[in-house]
Amino acid sequence: MPSALSKPHRIGLVKPDTAVGIGISLILLVLVAIPMALVVVQAFMPGILQGDLSFAGLGNLSELFHRRLWRVSLMNSLYLAGYTALFGTLIGGALALVRQKCSSVGGTALDLCAWTMLIMPSFIIAQGWILFSVRSGIAAQWLGATWVYDAVFSPPGLVAIMCLKNYPFAYLAITAAMQWHVKEYQHAARLCGAGPLRTLITVRAPLLLPAILSGMVLVFIDTLGDFGLPAALATTYRFPTLPYTIFTAINQSPIRFDLAGVLSVYLMFILVAAVALYLWFLRCSRFDFLTAKAESGHQLVSKNGWIFTAVAFGFIGIALGIPLGSSLLVSLTENIGVGFVVSNLTLGNYAAVLQSGSALKEALANSLQIALIAATASLIVAFLAAYLITFSQFYLNGLINVISTVTLAVPGVILGVGFIFLWNHPWLGALGLNLYGHPFLLVLAGMAGAIPIAIRVLLGAMGQIPHSFMAAAALQGAGLWRRLLTILLPLTLAAFLSAGLASFGSSVFDLAVTSILHPPGYAVLPVVIDRMFQQGLYGESTASTLIAATLTLCLIQATQVSVRRLFKHLLQTHQADAPKKLASAEVHHA
């Protein structure tokens, strides 16, 4: 019976699936694969933008050993990413254990903190720490803690800030892996005389190794490609990294695209090597330890749960309270050096950025418009790509999956450089398609960054839907688009909404791409906020950040509430079926 259904199903979908698949493949090639390929080619053909196709050999790559700034940038990036991956994973794993022991309130607070830190751009977090730590900042002038400056503005201090920013990757990965566990393994270790700590290190930690390594790789990748931290530190503490040096190369006079290409190749090589090493390790070992006795251990409240809850809220106060609280206090004060006194409180910073003709209004309108268009387009592309990967036999599904996966590890700086190489090429100008210097290029860049995230979110939801649903509709004569709109979209509506909102939120505050690609005279939100901060307008910068973040969150929340009310019956049906799906998953797992 399955073969009888599958054969006409495939025959009836050859033309529509192939057309959609070719279209999605071309979009991903133009938005992601070709720009990345041009970044690599530029390192070996530095004159390609001028039409010179001569091969320059490996000489440009060896420049790394002769340029001190390049060597320092590489060592700084490896130092920051390596130590952040190590200690950020330790923090994430420790908090995952705390989450199991503390109260439900503390566990929920830790989850919210992790997602907030994950969504919040690094340059905003870095600006908050700078305002707290500088000699005229909150720590020194308000609290008398002059030692904070030397502690924060040092390589170990920067590692600590990045750990607090990027630990959520490890926390969420390890927390998800700890949902199921087999108590018999731990009981056997305890019967053999092992204490709780030894059992944790020798039994539970090795079983969680895939999740631990996944979190560590994600922390490493995100830290290595981070542009926001060095950009925020530019006027306070010199700590060049590869992404910032790449940005400097294409913003100097004369512009050095060849140097940017060489540094981008080094950065991409390190990222690919890290991911390849991780995948090799997982393939060399087995970690399938679950049995029929596996139990859910997502929330195992300890007898002394209040201690773990206190630890959770203490960490949240440091990781989230200090940077965001500092930004809020600075936005409400007239002079940061005077201190928190009534005479120093003011709303003038908010009035200044909201006055008629202010740069914030124009930048906010432009960024929200770009984010809306990019999120809508990327959501459509991601939905179709996830459908192809999950339900079709399209021959380029592997290519679509690889491109969407690899792009997750590509920093925004490299993506921006690749877009310059592609859309500033002379032969595109001859065709009238030279988009470099046009705002629409920011939309395409936003799509390139958002599509891989949206695909991953939608793949998880579509993986729960049996193929027989789509096959049965095809046998009843429903065409491709009708099946997508009446079956697949309603069943994945919650994930569809989450993917769209995540794409929108990530596009609003993307500093790296907008700094590289925004046209001269065209105001965009991240660049305007960063420029205010670099000019010492800390009150206006923090006020702009809080206004933009509040408005963005309100738009996201309003959209979420509106969609949930409009499609309440669909979402309630899915929630009601959740226990059945979970029970079915448990039986299948056993």
Side-chain angles (χ1 to χ4, degrees):
M1 187 66 180
S3 60
L5 286 175
S6 59
K7 186 174 181 180
H9 171 57
R10 287 196 301 268
I11 293 175
L13 287 181
V14 168
K15 290 184 179 179
D17 274 11
T18 302
V20 172
I22 292 175
I24 296 300
S25 301
L26 290 176
I27 291 174
L28 291 178
L29 285 174
V30 172
L31 292 181
V32 179
I34 295 178
M36 296 301 98
L38 288 176
V39 169
V40 177
V41 171
Q42 177 70 26
F44 305 100
M45 296 180 178
I48 191 172
L49 287 180
Q50 291 75 35
D52 183 7
L53 300 181
S54 59
F55 182 69
L58 302 178
N60 285 340
L61 294 180
S62 64
E63 287 288 322
L64 177 70
F65 305 100
H66 305 291
R67 295 176 179 266
R68 184 177 181 276
L69 177 60
W70 288 19
R71 294 198 307 272
V72 171
S73 299
L74 176 62
M75 297 307 297
N76 286 346
S77 293
L78 292 176
Y79 174 91
L80 188 63
Y83 280 107
T84 301
L86 175 61
F87 292 108
T89 303
L90 290 175
I91 293 174
L95 290 175
L97 293 174
V98 169
R99 190 196 186 285
Q100 282 197 326
K101 302 294 184 180
C102 66
S103 65
S104 58
V105 175
T108 302
L110 280 176
D111 290 344
L112 290 176
C113 177
W115 283 108
T116 302
M117 296 297 291
L118 200 62
I119 296 173
M120 193 71 64
S122 61
F123 80 95
I124 291 180
I125 298 296
Q127 288 177 2
W129 277 103
I130 291 173
L131 295 174
F132 178 79
S133 307
V134 292
R135 300 191 188 279
S136 59
I138 293 175
Q141 299 296 325
W142 298 18
L143 304 178
T146 56
W147 56 269
V148 173
Y149 177 87
D150 294 324
V152 171
F153 294 105
S154 63
L158 300 185
V159 169
I161 293 177
M162 290 306 297
C163 286
L164 295 176
K165 172 64 179 71
N166 287 338
Y167 83 91
F169 291 106
Y171 169 80
L172 294 173
I174 297 173
T175 299
M178 293 173 65
Q179 182 175 3
W180 298 97
H181 69 102
V182 182
K183 287 184 177 180
E184 280 71 11
Y185 298 154
Q186 300 174 50
H187 291 167
R190 298 298 295 273
L191 288 174
C192 292
L197 181 59
R198 186 175 181 183
T199 301
L200 174 64
I201 297 175
T202 61
V203 177
R204 199 167 189 190
L207 295 177
L208 295 173
L209 195 56
I212 294 173
L213 291 178
S214 297
M216 183 177 292
V217 170
L218 290 174
V219 173
F220 180 85
I221 288 173
D222 195 76
T223 305
L224 187 67
D226 183 74
F227 174 76
L229 178 68
L233 291 172
T235 58
T236 307
Y237 181 74
R238 182 168 175 78
F239 192 81
T241 60
L242 281 179
Y244 192 76
T245 304
I246 294 172
F247 173 77
T248 304
I250 61 176
N251 279 276
Q252 64 182 7
S253 182
I255 298 176
R256 297 298 305 271
F257 288 123
D258 54 337
L259 303 185
V262 171
L263 293 177
S264 298
V265 168
Y266 276 106
L267 188 56
M268 292 176 63
F269 174 78
I270 297 172
L271 293 172
V272 171
V275 175
L277 182 62
Y278 161 70
L279 295 177
W280 171 82
F281 179 83
L282 291 185
R283 289 174 181 174
C284 292
S285 305
R286 290 188 60 188
F287 300 94
D288 48 344
F289 65 91
L290 292 182
T291 67
K293 296 182 179 180
E295 298 179 4
S296 177
H298 205 62
Q299 193 76 24
L300 302 174
V301 181
S302 172
K303 294 180 180 179
N304 298 321
W306 65 272
I307 298 178
F308 294 97
T309 302
V311 171
F313 279 100
F315 175 83
I316 293 172
I318 296 174
L320 198 59
I322 290 180
L324 296 187
S326 299
S327 297
L328 177 61
L329 290 176
V330 171
S331 70
L332 294 174
T333 56
E334 186 173 350
N335 188 341
I336 187 176
V338 174
F340 191 72
V341 294
V342 176
S343 59
N344 194 35
L345 298 179
T346 180
L347 293 176
N349 295 319
Y350 290 90
V353 298
L354 290 176
Q355 65 182 354
S356 178
S358 67
L360 176 64
K361 285 187 175 181
E362 180 184 358
L364 187 57
N366 291 338
S367 293
L368 290 178
Q369 182 181 11
I370 290 171
L372 179 61
I373 298 174
T376 303
S378 62
L379 188 58
I380 296 173
V381 173
F383 182 77
L384 295 176
Y387 159 76
L388 291 170
I389 295 173
T390 306
F391 295 101
S392 77
Q393 301 295 326
F394 181 57
Y395 55 90
L396 292 179
N397 276 348
L399 176 66
I400 296 174
N401 200 4
V402 168
I403 292 177
S404 62
T405 302
V406 171
T407 311
L408 292 173
V410 176
V413 171
I414 294 182
L415 186 64
V417 172
F419 266 60
I420 293 178
F421 292 165
L422 174 61
W423 298 104
N424 196 33
H425 203 279
W427 68 271
L428 283 179
L431 297 176
L433 296 176
N434 191 332
L435 296 180
Y436 183 62
H438 193 281
F440 185 69
L441 193 59
L442 294 174
V443 175
L444 296 181
M447 290 177 58
I451 286 174
I453 300 175
I455 289 178
R456 296 298 121 186
V457 173
L458 290 169
L459 281 177
M462 290 186 184
Q464 299 176 343
I465 300 175
H467 287 231
S468 58
F469 286 13
M470 304 292 285
L475 288 176
Q476 297 297 322
L480 173 62
W481 299 108
R482 186 174 181 182
R483 293 196 303 277
L484 293 177
L485 295 177
T486 61
I487 296 178
L488 195 57
L489 181 58
L491 291 174
T492 59
L493 184 60
F496 188 84
L497 177 62
S498 298
L501 295 179
S503 302
F504 175 79
S506 63
S507 300
V508 174
F509 292 99
D510 194 343
L511 177 63
V513 170
T514 54
S515 296
I516 294 174
L517 298 179
H518 79 280
Y522 186 80
V524 284
L525 184 63
V527 175
V528 168
I529 293 176
D530 185 63
R531 189 174 298 161
M532 289 180 182
F533 192 86
Q534 301 295 342
Q535 294 173 353
L537 303 175
Y538 301 130
E540 295 182 10
S541 172
T542 52
S544 300
T545 299
L546 294 172
I547 290 173
T550 302
L551 180 58
T552 303
L553 290 175
C554 288
L555 290 175
I556 291 175
Q557 185 65 24
T559 303
Q560 192 171 22
V561 171
S562 300
V563 172
R564 289 187 180 278
R565 286 185 177 180
L566 185 62
F567 300 99
K568 185 177 180 180
H569 61 291
L570 291 176
L571 296 174
Q572 281 183 342
T573 301
H574 296 164
Q575 291 173 358
D577 290 341
K580 298 179 182 179
K581 291 182 179 179
L582 180 59
S584 175
E586 292 180 8
V587 172
H588 177 70
H589 223 55

